[in-house]
Amino acid sequence: MNKRVLSLVLSRLLIAVITLLIVSFAVFFATTLLPGDTATILLGQAATPEAVEGLRKAMHLDEPAIFRFLRWTVGLLQGDLGTSYANEMPVADLIGGRFVNTLKLAGVTALFSVPIALTLGITSAMLRGSLYDRAVTVLTIGVISVPEFMIATSAVLIFAVYLKWLPALSFANEVHSLTDMLRIYAMPVVTLTFVVSAQMIRMTRAAVIETLNTPYVEMALLKGASRPRMVFRHALPNALGPIVNAVALSLSYLLGGVIIVETIFNYPGIAKLMVDAVATRDLPLIQSCAMIFCLGYLLLMTTADIIAILSNPRLR
């Protein structure tokens, strides 16, 4: 790794750290702008003003926002996510099991979406301009145009309401066999696979086509190499960097789609936990969940940037 590549990688890492600090500031102050008083919501409308004021002092809500932000930031740096207002439990304990469920859902989705997207993207690039390529292009554009909640709602109506093949709600703690896992994860995974695969197919196709247009690939074709050999032996190894970059970028869409999917299917993940926390104005829980999503997104985007830098032949 030369000095230029190292400096670019370090700059991306520095940008990620600065972005995370800015995001933490935005997340904290955005949650403080939520309508309604947290103490009043927790105690109910029948609470006396003295009780409300006492709870506000106990939760440090009477302090200036900047002091509460600094206390929260120091806690994050020390690994302390705070205590939930609604449950009076450590936020880390509430997030722990839910985070594992979300990772399971994301992992199963990636297990299905990545091979499907790479296969369709590479084959459509090999058959560029054919009827197959046009069909894949129309399909991906159609899927990208449909929002996640529409896909999820349609899946519930078709497979749960009309056909009654699958349960409308997904409870991850009810998995006792492979059949249970398939039934519970089927609709959430299919919905997220549609969301993630469409973007991945388009970017993979573009990366392979760009590599196929390079002089050394055209030279291999002139020497009599078959199209499959030209793609898998000459083009694909050189397009591996852009393809991995496309996969990392596409998987970042999971972070947005999982919030909608977990809410619609009542899946017990971290996104559903954050949505429930918004209803009770549980600020420490909202802030911690939001930071986890932002950190995951930054990790994927930074990984994609570093892969793009390392795979750039001009920097080698």
Side-chain angles (χ1 to χ4, degrees):
M1 185 182 296
N2 56 45
K3 292 183 179 180
R4 185 182 178 188
V5 174
L6 182 60
S7 64
L8 288 173
V9 171
L10 293 177
S11 67
R12 291 297 187 277
L13 294 175
L14 179 62
I15 291 172
V17 172
I18 295 173
T19 303
L20 189 62
L21 292 175
I22 296 173
V23 167
S24 65
F25 183 85
V27 166
F28 182 87
F29 284 97
T31 53
T32 60
L33 296 177
L34 289 173
D37 181 69
T38 303
T40 303
I41 293 174
L42 292 175
L43 293 177
Q45 296 296 328
T48 62
E50 292 79 10
V52 173
E53 186 62 26
L55 184 58
R56 287 180 57 83
K57 288 183 178 180
M59 296 187 299
H60 305 287
L61 294 176
D62 59 332
E63 297 180 359
I66 187 64
F67 292 157
R68 287 186 282 126
F69 171 72
L70 292 176
R71 182 184 293 107
W72 177 66
T73 304
V74 171
L76 283 181
L77 295 176
Q78 295 176 348
D80 181 13
L81 301 181
T83 303
S84 169
Y85 290 163
N87 300 286
E88 297 184 356
M89 293 175 57
V91 171
D93 293 343
L94 292 173
I95 289 178
R98 297 292 192 99
F99 186 60
V100 173
N101 289 339
T102 297
L103 287 180
K104 289 179 182 177
L105 180 60
V108 174
T109 301
L111 186 65
F112 282 94
S113 62
V114 173
I116 292 173
L118 293 182
T119 300
L120 292 177
I122 293 172
T123 53
S124 63
M126 292 172 59
L127 305 173
R128 179 177 41 168
S130 65
L131 181 61
Y132 171 80
D133 179 36
R134 294 174 184 175
V136 172
T137 301
V138 170
L139 177 64
T140 53
I141 293 175
V143 172
I144 292 173
S145 303
V146 179
E148 296 93 332
F149 72 87
M150 188 66 184
I151 298 176
T153 305
S154 301
V156 171
L157 288 175
I158 294 173
F159 297 106
V161 177
Y162 294 116
L163 298 177
K164 301 184 186 302
W165 289 353
L166 300 169
L169 303 179
S170 299
F171 299 100
N173 55 354
E174 295 182 358
V175 177
H176 304 294
S177 64
L178 180 60
T179 304
D180 292 338
M181 188 185 74
L182 293 176
R183 284 175 54 81
I184 289 172
Y185 282 94
M187 287 200 290
V189 168
V190 168
T191 302
L192 288 174
T193 298
F194 270 102
V195 175
V196 175
S197 297
Q199 294 286 353
M200 203 183 306
I201 290 169
R202 289 180 60 81
M203 289 190 284
T204 301
R205 178 184 179 275
V208 175
I209 288 177
E210 183 179 357
T211 308
L212 288 175
N213 291 331
T214 54
Y216 62 86
V217 175
E218 294 178 354
M219 180 62 68
L221 182 63
L222 292 174
K223 289 183 176 180
S226 63
R227 181 167 289 272
R229 178 181 175 83
M230 179 183 65
V231 171
F232 292 104
R233 181 69 180 272
H234 300 282
L236 202 55
N238 293 280
L240 190 60
I243 289 175
V244 175
N245 181 37
V247 171
L249 288 173
S250 299
L251 289 179
S252 65
Y253 290 98
L254 271 175
L255 301 175
V258 76
I259 298 176
I260 298 172
V261 168
E262 287 188 6
T263 303
I264 291 178
F265 295 110
N266 200 35
Y267 183 82
I270 189 174
K272 183 66 169 58
L273 182 65
M274 184 174 70
V275 172
D276 293 340
V278 171
T280 58
R281 300 299 187 273
D282 197 341
L283 301 185
L285 188 55
I286 299 171
Q287 293 158 358
S288 299
C289 293
M291 286 302 298
I292 289 174
F293 279 110
C294 294
L295 180 61
Y297 184 81
L298 277 175
L299 285 175
L300 287 172
M301 297 299 292
T302 304
T303 301
D305 288 341
I306 293 175
I307 291 172
I309 292 172
L310 296 177
S311 63
N312 191 341
R314 298 178 182 178
L315 298 177
R316 293 175 183 173

